[in-house]
Amino acid sequence: MNTFRETLSSHIVEIAQASDARLDDIRNLNKSDSRPDLPGGKGLVIAEGALIVPRLVRSRFPLRAIFGTPAKLASLADALSEGEAEIASRVPWYSLSRETLAEAAGFDLHRGLLATADRAPELYPAEVIEGARTLALMEGVGDHENIGALFRNAAGMGVDGVLFGAACADPLYRRSVRVSMGHVLTVPFATLEGTTTTWQRSLQELKDAGFRIVSMTPSGSTDLWEAMDADKVAILVGAEGPGLTEHAMAATDVRARIPMSAGTDSLNVATSAAISFYERLRAVHARADRRG
């Protein structure tokens, strides 16, 4: 039974002034040149809201502090499991009004709840590949919301991990964390070695591990269902507009296309990924049924 709520009043620190230095982790979140979750800044991971904060608490990222209105902190304490409460009790809980929170952050945080964590060392690709059956790959995806949506789709459809090729945006950017509903904090990811023109060589590690690598492209000639029907599959998607580079597609095993209505040649990258993840999940279930 979670008894953390019973001791919450003695654990909370009240803050009345937005200028209080203890709020520096969440200060000016609306300003891109000073926001603390930027890799070039303090490098913090920031979670917002009652659904995402618990995912940060139980993630591999070292928790720093929790901030919220009194009602939101009380609700969080009730929602945490015993293990999560034990982790959360190790860091400060700061209680402040919605107005003070808005003044410190630079905008009205209607969710009324934030948590911050330090960045953990990035995983190696081999750690993400080991034991996986379905992986997502990205090349040149620079939109944080697309990355967040892709992680949410991956978590919902059985993708074991995500690997980044060249020219992708930071998955721990605050907007990515929020759009992913915190799943970027729990789905393992790593960055493949190499530059824009050489990272594709790292795909050999996937092939050596038995993966069929599938490029998602409007020019693909293979049926999506057929492409997903293998023991291990890695699904490669590219940036909005230009899509995947020829170098990347040449390094894959199959080029697959989502059938489209006349006059439309492609979908948003996160949407395309979701469709491919769904087809892959169907293929996994069908393979299990065939094995009896």
Side-chain angles (χ1 to χ4, degrees), residues 98-282:
R98 180 170 172 174
E99 292 74 21
T100 302
L101 183 59
E103 186 178 349
F107 61 98
D108 182 25
L109 284 156
H110 64 276
R111 294 176 180 85
L113 183 67
L114 289 167
T116 60
D118 291 311
R119 294 191 177 222
E122 187 167 337
L123 299 175
Y124 291 103
E127 295 177 278
V128 177
I129 294 170
E130 184 178 5
R133 286 289 179 271
T134 304
L135 293 172
L137 306 174
M138 280 186 258
E139 180 192 44
V141 181
D143 184 274
H144 297 100
E145 293 190 5
N146 280 335
I147 289 178
L150 191 145
F151 268 90
R152 186 176 182 182
N153 295 336
M157 298 191 190
V159 175
D160 299 306
V162 176
L163 294 173
F164 290 95
C168 291
D170 175 26
L172 295 178
Y173 188 83
R174 184 174 63 90
R175 187 177 298 124
S176 296
V177 174
R178 185 180 70 242
V179 173
S180 79
M181 293 302 295
H183 290 297
V184 70
L185 306 172
T186 56
V187 175
F189 65 86
T191 300
L192 297 169
E193 294 183 2
T195 66
T196 303
T197 57
T198 64
W199 78 268
Q200 301 87 357
R201 298 170 189 169
S202 296
L203 294 177
Q204 187 60 45
E205 185 175 359
L206 285 168
K207 294 182 179 181
D208 292 342
F211 278 86
R212 172 189 289 174
I213 306 176
V214 179
S215 300
M216 297 299 298
T217 172
S219 63
S221 58
T222 301
D223 178 79
L224 186 58
W225 169 258
E226 180 184 348
M228 299 302 160
D229 190 14
D231 182 45
K232 297 180 181 181
V233 173
I235 302 164
L236 176 60
V237 296
E240 295 279 346
L244 293 169
T245 64
E246 180 58 35
H247 284 296
M249 290 189 287
T252 65
D253 302 300
V254 177
R255 302 188 190 197
R257 177 179 181 272
I258 297 172
M260 303 291 297
S261 299
T264 305
D265 67 349
S266 64
L267 300 170
N268 168 273
V269 62
T271 303
S272 297
I275 292 171
S276 64
F277 296 162
Y278 174 73
E279 288 296 328
R280 169 58 181 164
L281 188 60
R282 286 210 307 148

Side-chain angles (χ1 to χ4, degrees), residues 14-99:
E14 294 186 3
I15 294 181
Q17 301 296 325
S19 59
D20 194 305
R22 290 171 292 186
L23 299 180
D24 285 351
D25 276 9
I26 60 169
R27 192 172 307 285
N28 296 328
L29 295 181
N30 63 331
K31 294 184 179 179
S32 60
D33 59 348
S34 61
R35 191 173 48 244
D37 62 321
L38 287 173
K42 297 178 184 177
L44 300 184
V45 180
I46 297 179
E48 307 170 46
L51 293 176
I52 302 178
V53 168
R55 289 183 177 131
L56 179 60
V57 170
R58 60 179 177 264
S59 75
R60 64 189 181 90
F61 301 96
L63 197 63
R64 288 170 58 92
I66 296 172
F67 309 81
T69 63
K72 295 296 184 180
L73 293 180
S75 295
L76 176 64
D78 284 339
L80 294 176
S81 68
E82 183 176 349
E84 292 166 349
E86 197 280 325
I87 295 170
S89 67
R90 304 173 196 165
V91 304
W93 286 47
Y94 296 122
S95 176
L96 59 166
S97 69
R98 180 170 172 174
E99 292 74 21

